[in-house]
Amino acid sequence: MPLLVAISIFTLLDFILLFSIGSEIGLMLTLALVLGTGFLGLHMIRREGVITFARARQRLERGEIPTGEMINGAALIFGGALLMAPGFLSDALGFMCLIPNGRRLLGKALSAIGMSLNAVTPNDAGGHQQTSGWHPNDSSSWHAASEPGTQSVPLEGEFIARGERRGR
């Protein structure tokens, strides 16, 4: 629900900004700017997408998982969707997703508000790629939501299908 509210507020602010600027600069210039940013965004998506795809292919050939490239690809898709939406606020955020330094800055801003993107960190001493976020062998993140000083106990149970009887 908070995500829906945030998207609604963002959309409302985007249209308010679009209509405010449009009333100052005129309809034709507003349309030209909205269409121009859309076409420029498509060009940047194509260029950055090809570069990201090439990097992902190189990492796959070396036997590594291209997690950073997958995150960059998702940011490119999100940026392209924002550039297709009419509005100057969405265009600014869309271009931020398309520019490599902008993606890093956006990732830092999202991590500052508590949203992790599983960003890739440099290689460790053994040459293995490390990622932040959840790891299957790391049990410390399982109990992050529990209150301090309380012992967490694993939840155990059985799955019962809809048509299955509960008694044995």
Side-chain angles (χ1 to χ4, degrees):
M1 191 68 159
L3 182 63
L4 182 62
V5 170
I7 291 172
S8 299
I9 290 172
F10 178 80
T11 304
L12 181 64
L13 289 174
D14 198 16
F15 280 119
I16 289 171
L17 186 64
L18 177 69
F19 291 137
S20 298
I21 293 174
S23 67
E24 294 294 322
I25 64 174
L27 176 66
M28 294 307 288
L29 187 56
T30 303
L31 286 175
L33 284 173
V34 168
L35 290 174
T37 57
F39 287 124
L40 183 62
L42 285 174
H43 172 71
M44 289 180 70
I45 288 169
R46 178 178 288 165
R47 188 187 67 177
E48 291 293 325
V50 167
I51 293 169
T52 302
F53 183 70
R55 271 191 250 135
R57 188 179 333 183
Q58 288 172 352
R59 292 203 45 198
L60 282 172
E61 288 172 357
R62 289 190 307 238
E64 300 173 356
I65 299 173
T67 54
E69 285 75 14
M70 291 188 316
I71 292 171
N72 282 337
L76 289 171
I77 291 169
F78 182 66
L82 285 172
L83 286 167
M84 294 298 112
F88 295 116
L89 191 59
S90 61
D91 286 346
L93 187 59
F95 279 121
M96 194 170 188
C97 290
L98 295 180
I99 300 170
N101 288 335
R103 283 193 296 266
R104 257 184 250 117
L105 182 63
L106 190 61
K108 287 180 183 180
L110 288 175
S111 66
I113 62 171
M115 297 176 73
S116 175
L117 290 177
N118 291 334
V120 175
T121 58
N123 291 344
D124 65 1
H128 301 293
Q129 194 71 20
Q130 297 289 319
T131 58
S132 62
W134 181 83
H135 295 284
N137 298 329
D138 182 17
S139 62
S140 64
S141 62
W142 281 98
H143 305 296
S146 64
E147 296 180 18
T150 61
Q151 178 108 14
S152 297
V153 179
L155 179 64
E156 295 183 15
E158 294 181 15
F159 176 77
I160 300 173
R162 286 186 186 208
E164 188 178 346
R165 297 184 126 188
R166 293 182 186 230
R168 292 186 197 250

